[in-house]
């Protein structure tokens, strides 16, 4: 453990403050410089006064003179203090960025949940629409053609078996309008059915005369 007296003796022996810091507080220079402040020897002049209080016999016994901080030591100390300040600023920026990332993650999760809910609702709506389309499909199975036990198209196919050309078409069209008149077109469909029946009668008469 580094004490004030031990630090001063190391300085008397010629070890720089930077060297001492790296030996005793390599990963926490801030603590080292705080200790110097607590001991009242942070500044160069204060350190020289503290060294003067150390018995001269100590320096004589080890055969060295009491050194003062060299320009290199002073520069190294300034660099260390600058690095400490820089490290503190970097740590603060890293913490700020970490909090920002956490905020972004929360927002991303919220948006992801909203997107999943939106997709789910769309799929459910599509499913309901598909079911409704199957129940009342106006293209493939219109209600006015599917009443009864068979569909109109099946009846037409059976009724026109053996017929061809205009006779087959007129027969099918007449059946279609007769099939649906009470569920869709009313009298208009009956008139259309009569038109195709008259057309079919004419065609049959012409063919018979031939």
């Amino acid at each position: 453990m580094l004490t004030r007296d031990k630090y001063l003796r190391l300085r008397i022996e010629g070890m720089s403050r930077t060297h001492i810091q790296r030996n005793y507080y390599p990963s926490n220079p801030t603590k080292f410089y705080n200790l110097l402040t607590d001991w009242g020897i942070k500044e160069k002049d204060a350190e020289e006064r503290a060294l003067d209080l150390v018995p001269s016999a100590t320096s004589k016994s080890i055969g060295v003179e009491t050194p003062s901080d060299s320009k290199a030591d002073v520069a190294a100390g300034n660099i260390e203090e600058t690095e400490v300040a820089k490290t503190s600023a970097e740590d603060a920026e890293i913490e700020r960025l970490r909090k920002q990332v956490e905020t972004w993650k929360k927002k991303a999760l919220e948006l992801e949940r909203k997107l999943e809910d939106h997709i789910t609702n769309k799929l459910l709506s599509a499913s309901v629409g598909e079911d409704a389309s199957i129940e009342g499909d106006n293209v493939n199975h219109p209600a006015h053609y599917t009443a009864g036990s068979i569909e109109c198209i099946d009846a037409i196919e059976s009724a026109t078996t053996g017929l061809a050309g205009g006779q087959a078409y007129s027969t099918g069209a007449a059946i279609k309008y007769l099939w649906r008149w009470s569920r869709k077109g009313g009298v208009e469909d009956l008139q259309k059915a009569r038109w195709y029946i008259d057309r079919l009668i004419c065609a049959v008469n012409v063919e018979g005369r031939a």
Side-chain angles (χ1 to χ4, degrees):
M1 179 179 178
L2 185 64
T3 63
R4 182 176 184 276
D5 290 342
K6 188 172 184 179
Y7 168 77
L8 293 175
R9 292 184 185 280
L10 290 173
R11 293 291 288 116
I12 289 173
E13 292 172 5
M15 187 177 293
S16 69
R17 67 170 63 184
T18 301
H19 194 182
I20 296 171
Q21 178 265 310
R22 290 176 178 171
N23 282 346
Y24 287 88
Y25 299 96
S27 61
N28 194 354
T30 301
K31 184 175 181 180
F32 171 75
Y33 289 110
N34 287 338
L35 283 175
L36 294 185
T37 300
D38 294 341
W39 294 338
I41 55 175
K42 177 67 181 297
E43 302 297 331
K44 178 181 177 181
D45 292 340
E47 185 168 301
E48 289 180 348
R49 288 195 299 271
L51 289 173
D52 289 340
L53 297 176
V54 179
S56 58
T58 302
S59 59
K60 292 179 180 179
S61 65
I62 59 177
V64 296
E65 295 181 357
T66 301
S68 61
D69 282 349
S70 66
K71 291 182 179 180
D73 287 341
V74 173
N78 291 336
I79 291 174
E80 290 292 342
E81 291 179 6
T82 301
E83 290 179 351
V84 169
K86 182 179 179 182
T87 300
S88 298
E90 289 176 348
D91 290 342
E93 179 65 11
I94 290 172
E95 180 64 17
R96 185 188 70 80
L97 293 175
R98 185 189 66 79
K99 292 180 179 179
Q100 186 66 57
V101 169
E102 291 297 326
T103 301
W104 289 341
K105 284 182 178 180
K106 291 179 181 178
K107 290 183 178 179
L109 289 174
E110 183 179 354
L111 289 174
E112 185 177 355
R113 285 194 294 268
K114 289 182 178 179
L115 179 60
E116 289 178 352
D117 292 342
H118 178 72
I119 292 175
T120 300
N121 290 335
K122 283 290 186 181
L123 291 175
L124 289 174
S125 297
S127 177
V128 171
E130 183 179 353
D131 292 341
S133 177
I134 291 174
E135 291 176 1
D137 190 343
N138 290 327
V139 176
N140 298 318
H141 303 284
H144 49 273
Y145 289 143
T146 56
S149 59
I150 62 173
E151 289 190 24
C152 179
I153 190 171
D154 296 328
I156 290 174
E157 287 179 352
S158 296
T160 56
T161 300
L163 300 178
Q167 291 184 7
Y169 183 83
S170 294
T171 300
I175 293 173
K176 178 183 73 173
Y177 288 114
L178 287 171
W179 194 286
R180 75 181 199 184
W181 78 267
S182 64
R183 300 177 184 84
K184 186 177 181 183
V187 174
E188 183 178 342
D189 278 352
L190 292 175
Q191 291 171 343
K192 290 178 179 178
R194 183 174 62 185
W195 189 89
Y196 279 104
I197 290 172
D198 290 340
R199 178 184 173 86
L200 179 59
I201 290 171
C202 290
V204 172
N205 288 336
V206 170
E207 183 177 347
R209 286 196 297 270

